[in-house]
Amino acid sequence: FAIQMSAVLCDCVNKLIMDIVLKDTVVDSLSMHYYSSPASAVCIGIGFFVFEWSSFSFDLLTPEFSLVLVANGLLAFALNISVLLLVSNTSSMVISLAGPVKDILLVISSVVMFGSPITLLQVVGFGVTLVALYMYRQFKNDP
């Protein structure tokens, strides 16, 4: 729980910093990615060495795995650039509000395509999320 809360807090701080830097300066999205990537790599590297290093198997480093890893990296890079472009044109709040909607759509897609089971707790959680998003929109439009 503590690690999840730390990750959410770091993500919020990251989005706020992106919002401030992209709005108040002339830094473009690619430059912002250029400056923020080393800090992200350090954080991920620390987590890897603390939690994963002892169980990591170097036998996994096959040419096929390397190809999948490069493709995954390119997709992640494209996602980061699209997020930075969206934040620079809107605000970090849009990304924060789009996240739960994306999660709901992913779960619905998984249920429809793969027949994944969904629990009552998930349905209630998604319902609460949708109600909260609706209330946010209502309060924003008519304070």
Side-chain angles (χ1 to χ4, degrees):
F1 177 76
I3 292 173
Q4 180 67 33
M5 290 304 295
S6 299
V8 169
L9 180 65
C10 288
D11 188 43
C12 290
V13 169
N14 182 28
K15 288 176 184 169
L16 287 173
I17 290 171
M18 281 191 312
D19 194 23
I20 291 167
V21 169
L22 289 172
K23 295 288 183 193
D24 295 340
T25 63
V26 292
V27 175
D28 64 340
S29 299
L30 197 56
S31 297
M32 181 67 188
H33 188 64
Y34 175 77
Y35 290 118
S36 65
S37 292
S40 298
V42 167
C43 292
I44 290 171
I46 290 170
F48 172 75
F49 284 113
V50 169
F51 297 108
E52 302 289 333
W53 180 255
S54 62
S55 63
F56 183 73
S57 173
F58 286 97
D59 296 334
L60 293 174
L61 299 178
T62 63
E64 294 84 14
F65 180 75
S66 299
L67 182 63
V68 170
L69 193 61
V70 168
N72 187 19
L74 290 173
L75 285 173
F77 177 76
L79 175 66
N80 286 335
I81 294 300
S82 65
V83 166
L84 288 170
L85 285 170
L86 185 61
V87 168
S88 67
N89 291 319
T90 58
S91 72
S92 61
M93 182 60 74
V94 171
I95 298 294
S96 298
L97 295 175
V101 174
K102 176 195 63 146
D103 293 340
I104 291 170
L105 292 174
L106 282 172
V107 170
I108 291 171
S109 299
S110 176
V111 168
V112 170
M113 285 193 255
F114 305 116
S116 300
I118 187 167
T119 65
L120 179 62
L121 183 62
Q122 287 173 309
V123 172
V124 170
F126 290 148
V128 168
T129 301
L130 290 174
V131 168
L133 288 172
Y134 176 76
M135 289 174 59
Y136 172 78
R137 188 182 77 183
Q138 291 301 321
F139 288 131
K140 184 178 177 186
N141 290 339
D142 186 30

Short mmCIF file of all heavy atoms in Angstrom, two decimals, residues 96-136:
data_model
loop_
_atom_site.label_atom_id
_atom_site.label_comp_id
_atom_site.label_asym_id
_atom_site.label_seq_id
_atom_site.Cartn_x
_atom_site.Cartn_y
_atom_site.Cartn_z
N SER A 96 -5.05 13.61 -15.39
CA SER A 96 -5.50 12.96 -14.16
C SER A 96 -6.93 12.44 -14.29
O SER A 96 -7.26 11.39 -13.76
CB SER A 96 -5.40 13.93 -12.99
OG SER A 96 -4.07 14.30 -12.79
N LEU A 97 -7.77 13.19 -14.98
CA LEU A 97 -9.15 12.77 -15.15
C LEU A 97 -9.30 11.71 -16.23
O LEU A 97 -10.22 10.89 -16.18
CB LEU A 97 -10.04 13.97 -15.47
CG LEU A 97 -10.17 15.01 -14.36
CD1 LEU A 97 -10.97 16.20 -14.85
CD2 LEU A 97 -10.78 14.42 -13.12
N ALA A 98 -8.42 11.72 -17.21
CA ALA A 98 -8.49 10.73 -18.28
C ALA A 98 -8.00 9.36 -17.83
O ALA A 98 -8.41 8.34 -18.39
CB ALA A 98 -7.68 11.20 -19.48
N GLY A 99 -7.14 9.32 -16.82
CA GLY A 99 -6.59 8.05 -16.34
C GLY A 99 -7.64 7.05 -15.91
O GLY A 99 -7.65 5.90 -16.37
N PRO A 100 -8.57 7.42 -15.00
CA PRO A 100 -9.60 6.46 -14.60
C PRO A 100 -10.51 6.04 -15.75
O PRO A 100 -10.92 4.88 -15.81
CB PRO A 100 -10.40 7.23 -13.54
CG PRO A 100 -9.47 8.26 -13.02
CD PRO A 100 -8.59 8.62 -14.18
N VAL A 101 -10.80 6.95 -16.66
CA VAL A 101 -11.63 6.58 -17.82
C VAL A 101 -10.90 5.55 -18.67
O VAL A 101 -11.50 4.56 -19.13
CB VAL A 101 -12.00 7.84 -18.64
CG1 VAL A 101 -12.73 7.45 -19.91
CG2 VAL A 101 -12.82 8.80 -17.81
N LYS A 102 -9.60 5.74 -18.86
CA LYS A 102 -8.79 4.78 -19.61
C LYS A 102 -8.81 3.42 -18.92
O LYS A 102 -8.97 2.38 -19.57
CB LYS A 102 -7.36 5.29 -19.73
CG LYS A 102 -6.42 4.31 -20.42
CD LYS A 102 -4.98 4.69 -20.20
CE LYS A 102 -4.71 4.59 -18.73
NZ LYS A 102 -3.46 4.18 -18.27
N ASP A 103 -8.68 3.41 -17.59
CA ASP A 103 -8.70 2.15 -16.85
C ASP A 103 -10.04 1.43 -17.01
O ASP A 103 -10.08 0.21 -17.19
CB ASP A 103 -8.42 2.41 -15.37
CG ASP A 103 -7.01 2.90 -15.12
OD1 ASP A 103 -6.15 2.69 -16.00
OD2 ASP A 103 -6.78 3.50 -14.06
N ILE A 104 -11.12 2.18 -16.94
CA ILE A 104 -12.45 1.58 -17.11
C ILE A 104 -12.58 0.97 -18.50
O ILE A 104 -13.07 -0.15 -18.67
CB ILE A 104 -13.55 2.63 -16.84
CG1 ILE A 104 -13.56 2.99 -15.35
CG2 ILE A 104 -14.92 2.11 -17.28
CD1 ILE A 104 -14.43 4.19 -15.02
N LEU A 105 -12.14 1.71 -19.52
CA LEU A 105 -12.22 1.19 -20.89
C LEU A 105 -11.34 -0.04 -21.08
O LEU A 105 -11.72 -0.98 -21.80
CB LEU A 105 -11.83 2.28 -21.88
CG LEU A 105 -12.82 3.44 -21.99
CD1 LEU A 105 -12.26 4.53 -22.90
CD2 LEU A 105 -14.17 2.96 -22.49
N LEU A 106 -10.18 -0.08 -20.43
CA LEU A 106 -9.32 -1.27 -20.51
C LEU A 106 -9.99 -2.49 -19.90
O LEU A 106 -9.93 -3.59 -20.45
CB LEU A 106 -7.99 -1.00 -19.82
CG LEU A 106 -6.99 -0.17 -20.59
CD1 LEU A 106 -5.79 0.18 -19.71
CD2 LEU A 106 -6.52 -0.91 -21.82
N VAL A 107 -10.62 -2.31 -18.75
CA VAL A 107 -11.28 -3.45 -18.09
C VAL A 107 -12.48 -3.92 -18.92
O VAL A 107 -12.68 -5.13 -19.11
CB VAL A 107 -11.71 -3.07 -16.65
CG1 VAL A 107 -12.60 -4.14 -16.06
CG2 VAL A 107 -10.49 -2.87 -15.78
N ILE A 108 -13.26 -2.99 -19.44
CA ILE A 108 -14.40 -3.37 -20.28
C ILE A 108 -13.91 -4.11 -21.53
O ILE A 108 -14.49 -5.13 -21.92
CB ILE A 108 -15.24 -2.13 -20.65
CG1 ILE A 108 -15.96 -1.61 -19.41
CG2 ILE A 108 -16.24 -2.45 -21.75
CD1 ILE A 108 -16.64 -0.27 -19.61
N SER A 109 -12.84 -3.62 -22.15
CA SER A 109 -12.28 -4.29 -23.32
C SER A 109 -11.81 -5.70 -22.98
O SER A 109 -12.01 -6.64 -23.75
CB SER A 109 -11.11 -3.50 -23.89
OG SER A 109 -11.52 -2.23 -24.29
N SER A 110 -11.19 -5.85 -21.83
CA SER A 110 -10.71 -7.16 -21.40
C SER A 110 -11.87 -8.12 -21.16
O SER A 110 -11.78 -9.30 -21.51
CB SER A 110 -9.88 -7.01 -20.13
OG SER A 110 -9.48 -8.26 -19.64
N VAL A 111 -12.95 -7.62 -20.60
CA VAL A 111 -14.13 -8.46 -20.36
C VAL A 111 -14.74 -8.88 -21.69
O VAL A 111 -15.08 -10.05 -21.90
CB VAL A 111 -15.16 -7.72 -19.48
CG1 VAL A 111 -16.49 -8.44 -19.46
CG2 VAL A 111 -14.62 -7.55 -18.07
N VAL A 112 -14.88 -7.93 -22.63
CA VAL A 112 -15.51 -8.22 -23.92
C VAL A 112 -14.65 -9.14 -24.78
O VAL A 112 -15.12 -10.12 -25.34
CB VAL A 112 -15.84 -6.91 -24.66
CG1 VAL A 112 -16.27 -7.18 -26.09
CG2 VAL A 112 -16.90 -6.13 -23.92
N MET A 113 -13.35 -8.84 -24.87
CA MET A 113 -12.48 -9.58 -25.78
C MET A 113 -12.02 -10.92 -25.22
O MET A 113 -11.95 -11.90 -25.95
CB MET A 113 -11.25 -8.74 -26.14
CG MET A 113 -11.55 -7.63 -27.10
SD MET A 113 -10.05 -6.94 -27.76
CE MET A 113 -9.98 -5.41 -26.87
N PHE A 114 -11.68 -10.95 -23.94
CA PHE A 114 -11.08 -12.14 -23.38
C PHE A 114 -11.96 -12.87 -22.37
O PHE A 114 -11.58 -13.91 -21.85
CB PHE A 114 -9.74 -11.79 -22.70
CG PHE A 114 -8.79 -11.08 -23.60
CD1 PHE A 114 -8.40 -9.78 -23.34
CD2 PHE A 114 -8.29 -11.70 -24.73
CE1 PHE A 114 -7.53 -9.12 -24.17
CE2 PHE A 114 -7.42 -11.04 -25.58
CZ PHE A 114 -7.03 -9.75 -25.30
N GLY A 115 -13.11 -12.29 -22.06
CA GLY A 115 -14.01 -12.93 -21.10
C GLY A 115 -13.46 -12.90 -19.68
O GLY A 115 -13.77 -13.78 -18.88
N SER A 116 -12.66 -11.91 -19.36
CA SER A 116 -12.08 -11.80 -18.02
C SER A 116 -13.19 -11.58 -16.99
O SER A 116 -14.13 -10.82 -17.25
CB SER A 116 -11.10 -10.64 -17.94
OG SER A 116 -10.06 -10.83 -18.86
N PRO A 117 -13.08 -12.22 -15.85
CA PRO A 117 -14.11 -12.01 -14.83
C PRO A 117 -13.98 -10.63 -14.19
O PRO A 117 -12.87 -10.09 -14.09
CB PRO A 117 -13.83 -13.11 -13.80
CG PRO A 117 -12.39 -13.43 -13.98
CD PRO A 117 -12.07 -13.19 -15.43
N ILE A 118 -15.08 -10.06 -13.79
CA ILE A 118 -15.09 -8.77 -13.12
C ILE A 118 -15.88 -8.93 -11.82
O ILE A 118 -16.92 -9.59 -11.80
CB ILE A 118 -15.67 -7.67 -14.03
CG1 ILE A 118 -15.52 -6.30 -13.39
CG2 ILE A 118 -17.08 -7.95 -14.40
CD1 ILE A 118 -15.78 -5.15 -14.33
N THR A 119 -15.36 -8.35 -10.75
CA THR A 119 -16.00 -8.52 -9.45
C THR A 119 -16.96 -7.36 -9.18
O THR A 119 -16.90 -6.32 -9.81
CB THR A 119 -14.95 -8.57 -8.33
OG1 THR A 119 -14.29 -7.31 -8.25
CG2 THR A 119 -13.93 -9.68 -8.59
N LEU A 120 -17.82 -7.58 -8.20
CA LEU A 120 -18.76 -6.54 -7.79
C LEU A 120 -18.00 -5.33 -7.25
O LEU A 120 -18.40 -4.19 -7.49
CB LEU A 120 -19.73 -7.08 -6.74
CG LEU A 120 -20.76 -6.10 -6.21
CD1 LEU A 120 -21.67 -5.62 -7.34
CD2 LEU A 120 -21.57 -6.72 -5.09
N LEU A 121 -16.90 -5.57 -6.55
CA LEU A 121 -16.10 -4.47 -6.02
C LEU A 121 -15.56 -3.58 -7.15
O LEU A 121 -15.54 -2.35 -7.02
CB LEU A 121 -14.96 -5.02 -5.17
CG LEU A 121 -14.06 -4.00 -4.49
CD1 LEU A 121 -14.87 -3.16 -3.50
CD2 LEU A 121 -12.92 -4.69 -3.76
N GLN A 122 -15.13 -4.20 -8.25
CA GLN A 122 -14.64 -3.42 -9.39
C GLN A 122 -15.77 -2.58 -10.00
O GLN A 122 -15.57 -1.42 -10.33
CB GLN A 122 -14.06 -4.34 -10.46
CG GLN A 122 -12.72 -4.93 -10.09
CD GLN A 122 -12.27 -5.96 -11.11
OE1 GLN A 122 -13.02 -6.86 -11.46
NE2 GLN A 122 -11.04 -5.81 -11.58
N VAL A 123 -16.94 -3.18 -10.14
CA VAL A 123 -18.08 -2.45 -10.71
C VAL A 123 -18.44 -1.26 -9.82
O VAL A 123 -18.66 -0.15 -10.30
CB VAL A 123 -19.29 -3.39 -10.89
CG1 VAL A 123 -20.54 -2.61 -11.29
CG2 VAL A 123 -18.98 -4.47 -11.92
N VAL A 124 -18.47 -1.48 -8.50
CA VAL A 124 -18.79 -0.39 -7.57
C VAL A 124 -17.70 0.68 -7.63
O VAL A 124 -17.99 1.88 -7.67
CB VAL A 124 -18.96 -0.93 -6.13
CG1 VAL A 124 -19.04 0.20 -5.12
CG2 VAL A 124 -20.18 -1.80 -6.04
N GLY A 125 -16.44 0.28 -7.69
CA GLY A 125 -15.34 1.24 -7.78
C GLY A 125 -15.40 2.06 -9.04
O GLY A 125 -15.20 3.28 -9.02
N PHE A 126 -15.69 1.42 -10.16
CA PHE A 126 -15.82 2.17 -11.42
C PHE A 126 -17.03 3.10 -11.37
O PHE A 126 -16.99 4.21 -11.90
CB PHE A 126 -15.93 1.22 -12.60
CG PHE A 126 -14.65 0.49 -12.89
CD1 PHE A 126 -14.68 -0.80 -13.41
CD2 PHE A 126 -13.42 1.07 -12.66
CE1 PHE A 126 -13.51 -1.47 -13.68
CE2 PHE A 126 -12.24 0.40 -12.93
CZ PHE A 126 -12.29 -0.88 -13.45
N GLY A 127 -18.12 2.63 -10.75
CA GLY A 127 -19.30 3.50 -10.61
C GLY A 127 -18.99 4.74 -9.79
O GLY A 127 -19.38 5.85 -10.16
N VAL A 128 -18.29 4.56 -8.68
CA VAL A 128 -17.91 5.70 -7.84
C VAL A 128 -17.01 6.65 -8.62
O VAL A 128 -17.15 7.88 -8.55
CB VAL A 128 -17.21 5.20 -6.55
CG1 VAL A 128 -16.55 6.34 -5.79
CG2 VAL A 128 -18.20 4.48 -5.65
N THR A 129 -16.09 6.10 -9.41
CA THR A 129 -15.19 6.92 -10.22
C THR A 129 -15.97 7.75 -11.23
O THR A 129 -15.72 8.95 -11.39
CB THR A 129 -14.17 6.03 -10.94
OG1 THR A 129 -13.42 5.30 -9.97
CG2 THR A 129 -13.23 6.85 -11.80
N LEU A 130 -16.92 7.11 -11.92
CA LEU A 130 -17.70 7.84 -12.91
C LEU A 130 -18.57 8.92 -12.27
O LEU A 130 -18.69 10.03 -12.80
CB LEU A 130 -18.57 6.87 -13.71
CG LEU A 130 -17.80 5.96 -14.66
CD1 LEU A 130 -18.74 4.93 -15.29
CD2 LEU A 130 -17.10 6.76 -15.73
N VAL A 131 -19.13 8.63 -11.10
CA VAL A 131 -19.92 9.64 -10.39
C VAL A 131 -19.02 10.80 -9.97
O VAL A 131 -19.40 11.98 -10.10
CB VAL A 131 -20.64 9.02 -9.17
CG1 VAL A 131 -21.22 10.09 -8.26
CG2 VAL A 131 -21.74 8.08 -9.64
N ALA A 132 -17.82 10.50 -9.48
CA ALA A 132 -16.89 11.57 -9.09
C ALA A 132 -16.48 12.43 -10.28
O ALA A 132 -16.39 13.65 -10.16
CB ALA A 132 -15.66 10.95 -8.42
N LEU A 133 -16.23 11.80 -11.43
CA LEU A 133 -15.89 12.57 -12.62
C LEU A 133 -17.06 13.45 -13.06
O LEU A 133 -16.86 14.62 -13.43
CB LEU A 133 -15.49 11.63 -13.77
CG LEU A 133 -14.14 10.94 -13.62
CD1 LEU A 133 -13.97 9.90 -14.72
CD2 LEU A 133 -13.01 11.94 -13.66
N TYR A 134 -18.27 12.93 -12.98
CA TYR A 134 -19.45 13.72 -13.33
C TYR A 134 -19.61 14.89 -12.37
O TYR A 134 -19.88 16.02 -12.78
CB TYR A 134 -20.70 12.83 -13.32
CG TYR A 134 -21.96 13.59 -13.58
CD1 TYR A 134 -22.30 14.01 -14.86
CD2 TYR A 134 -22.82 13.91 -12.53
CE1 TYR A 134 -23.45 14.72 -15.09
CE2 TYR A 134 -23.98 14.63 -12.76
CZ TYR A 134 -24.30 15.02 -14.04
OH TYR A 134 -25.43 15.73 -14.27
N MET A 135 -19.43 14.64 -11.08
CA MET A 135 -19.56 15.71 -10.09
C MET A 135 -18.48 16.77 -10.30
O MET A 135 -18.75 17.97 -10.17
CB MET A 135 -19.49 15.14 -8.67
CG MET A 135 -20.72 14.34 -8.30
SD MET A 135 -20.59 13.51 -6.70
CE MET A 135 -20.32 14.88 -5.62
N TYR A 136 -17.27 16.36 -10.62
CA TYR A 136 -16.20 17.32 -10.89
C TYR A 136 -16.59 18.22 -12.05
O TYR A 136 -16.42 19.44 -11.99
CB TYR A 136 -14.89 16.59 -11.19
CG TYR A 136 -13.80 17.53 -11.66
CD1 TYR A 136 -13.10 18.31 -10.74
CD2 TYR A 136 -13.51 17.67 -13.01
CE1 TYR A 136 -12.12 19.19 -11.16
CE2 TYR A 136 -12.54 18.56 -13.43
CZ TYR A 136 -11.85 19.32 -12.50
OH TYR A 136 -10.89 20.19 -12.93
#
